Amino acid sequence: MSIITINSDSIITDIDSHFKVSAGPGAGKTYWLVNHIKNVLHNSDKLFRTRKIACITYTNIAVETILKRLGKGISNKVEVSTIHSFLYSNVVKPY
């Protein structure tokens, strides 16, 4: 896996690949992530009615911030959660 250096206004054109964002506080990670989610929603040919984007973060504050920035119209197409709540909702609770 290669490392690509971007800034908070960069756009990743390969929207079908997994990625990891690593940067210090205040670097624009959340801003970039919200814009990337919007880009994927508009440009992906793999998302249908039953599919969602999973956005897994470390903190509940980040979850609230991302949902607020996405807005109500988009947030139903994206599942934003912490790793613990994601695993509980999608792995533990169903089984």
Side-chain angles (χ1 to χ4, degrees), residues 2 15 35 44 61 77 86-87:
S2 62
I15 60 173
N35 287 335
S44 177
I61 293 173
K77 298 176 186 176
F86 180 83
L87 291 173

Side-chain angles (χ1 to χ4, degrees), residues 2 20 22 27 29 37 45 51 59 63 67 72 76 84:
S2 62
K20 176 183 173 183
S22 179
K29 296 179 295 293
I37 291 170
D45 56 355
R51 294 190 176 183
T59 65
V63 170
L67 287 172
K72 293 186 188 272
N76 62 344
H84 297 98

Side-chain angles (χ1 to χ4, degrees), residues 1 12 14-15 17-21 32-33 36-37 40:
M1 185 173 144
I12 294 179
D14 183 11
I15 60 173
S17 296
H18 300 277
F19 61 88
K20 176 183 173 183
V21 177
W32 180 86
L33 185 60
H36 184 67
I37 291 170
V40 170

Side-chain angles (χ1 to χ4, degrees), residues 11-76:
I11 296 173
I12 294 179
T13 56
D14 183 11
I15 60 173
D16 294 326
S17 296
H18 300 277
F19 61 88
K20 176 183 173 183
V21 177
S22 179
K29 296 179 295 293
T30 305
Y31 173 82
W32 180 86
L33 185 60
V34 168
N35 287 335
H36 184 67
I37 291 170
K38 290 178 181 178
N39 181 39
V40 170
L41 286 171
H42 292 288
N43 296 315
S44 177
D45 56 355
K46 294 184 178 184
L47 292 175
F48 304 106
R49 287 185 181 158
T50 58
R51 294 190 176 183
K52 289 185 173 186
I53 295 173
C55 177
I56 301 171
T57 68
Y58 286 108
T59 65
N60 287 319
I61 293 173
V63 170
E64 293 170 10
T65 303
I66 292 168
L67 287 172
K68 180 181 173 185
R69 291 183 185 179
L70 284 174
K72 293 186 188 272
I74 294 177
S75 63
N76 62 344

